[in-house]
């Protein structure tokens, strides 16, 4: 088997990740695996790795109870994301399987893209993560088109109108899924709409925290 990122041979190893659940092998070689930084501690509400206590962005009440981010958005992760999300290398999502939890509670709600953005990219990265988690995506939200979040400053993100709209009334505990947690504005805006439309609770899961 070859690494899905650099195409070098992968030499499978048995460790704590796959000793008891061998159905999720790594699709990365050891060098590429080591390029990612797993978040082991950080803000207890959003996993911001720069803080050991509650970070400034999480010191206010929010419809989003908490967020779990798995990896730090370092330079290697930025290169990976550029290939995956912006250059359309969809197969790279398989490389994230080794970092994902085997089980996570809640009905999965991938953060939606606008129709324009889906047409540009060809896929929704949050839906790809949801499928990798082997959870059924719940289309509870839709999104109006706006400028890309990556081009906005923190202040512009926080001041911007909520782009999310409800599709239907919802119930239960929800898991909001996206690729990158930056200021948390996107996740909090989506969570607010879900709560307003009947969700009992909303927690988040993202691959990366920048």
């Amino acid at each position: 088997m070859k690494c899905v990122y650099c195409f070098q041979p992968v030499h499978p190893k048995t460790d704590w990740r796959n000793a008891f659940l061998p159905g999720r092998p790594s699709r990365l070689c050891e060098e590429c695996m080591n390029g990612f930084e797993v978040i082991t501690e950080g803000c207890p509400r959003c996993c911001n790795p720069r803080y050991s206590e509650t970070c400034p962005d999480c010191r206010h009440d929010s419809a989003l109870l908490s967020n779990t981010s798995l990896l730090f958005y370092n330079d290697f992760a930025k290169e990976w994301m550029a290939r995956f999300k912006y250059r359309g290398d969809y197969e790279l999502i398989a490389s994230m399987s080794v970092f994902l939890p085997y089980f996570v509670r809640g009905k999965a709600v991938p953060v939606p893209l606008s129709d324009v953005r889906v047409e540009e990219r060809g896929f929704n990265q949050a839906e790809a993560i949801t499928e990798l988690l082997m959870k059924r995506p719940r289309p509870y939200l839709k999104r109006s088109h706006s400028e890309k979040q990556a081009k906005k400053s923190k202040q512009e993100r926080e001041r911007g109108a909520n782009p999310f709209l409800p599709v239907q009334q919802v119930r239960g505990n929800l898991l909001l899924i996206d690729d990158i947690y930056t200021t948390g504005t996107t996740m909090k805006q989506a969570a607010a709409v879900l709560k307003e439309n009947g969700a009992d609770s909303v927690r988040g899961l993202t691959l990366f925290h920048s």
Side-chain angles (χ1 to χ4, degrees), residues 45 62-67 176 181 184 187-188 191-192 202-204:
R45 288 196 63 183
S62 165
L64 185 71
L65 285 180
S66 64
N67 175 75
L176 195 59
Y181 190 106
M187 298 287 277
K188 291 170 185 176
V202 184
R203 298 181 186 275

Side-chain angles (χ1 to χ4, degrees), residues 102-123:
Y102 281 96
F103 176 76
V104 61
R105 296 182 183 277
K107 299 176 183 177
V109 182
V111 171
L113 298 177
S114 68
D115 292 341
V116 173
R117 201 70 71 214
V118 172
E119 187 173 345
E120 286 177 356
R121 292 183 187 159
F123 64 91

Side-chain angles (χ1 to χ4, degrees), residues 14 61 129 164-165 180 192:
T14 299
D61 290 337
I129 299 165
F164 298 104
L165 299 168
I180 307 171

Side-chain angles (χ1 to χ4, degrees), residues 53-105:
E53 299 180 351
T54 303
C55 73
D57 289 332
C58 291
R59 290 174 187 165
H60 306 287
D61 290 337
S62 165
L64 185 71
L65 285 180
S66 64
N67 175 75
T68 299
S69 294
L70 306 173
L71 303 167
F72 180 57
Y73 199 46
N74 61 9
D75 289 340
F76 187 84
K78 291 175 183 177
E79 294 173 7
W80 181 95
M81 186 62 72
R83 276 180 53 180
F84 169 60
K85 187 160 88 169
Y86 301 116
R87 295 201 288 273
D89 193 349
Y90 184 86
E91 296 301 318
L92 282 182
I93 192 62
S95 64
M96 291 291 103
S97 63
V98 71
F99 300 112
L100 292 176
Y102 281 96
F103 176 76
V104 61
R105 296 182 183 277

Side-chain angles (χ1 to χ4, degrees), residues 10 15 27 29-30 38-39 52 54-55 66-67 75 103 120 122 129 146 161 166 184 190 196 199 203:
V10 174
D15 58 17
R27 299 291 304 278
C29 67
E30 187 171 359
V38 176
I39 296 175
S52 58
T54 303
C55 73
S66 64
N67 175 75
D75 289 340
F103 176 76
E120 286 177 356
I129 299 165
S146 62
E196 288 168 3
R203 298 181 186 275

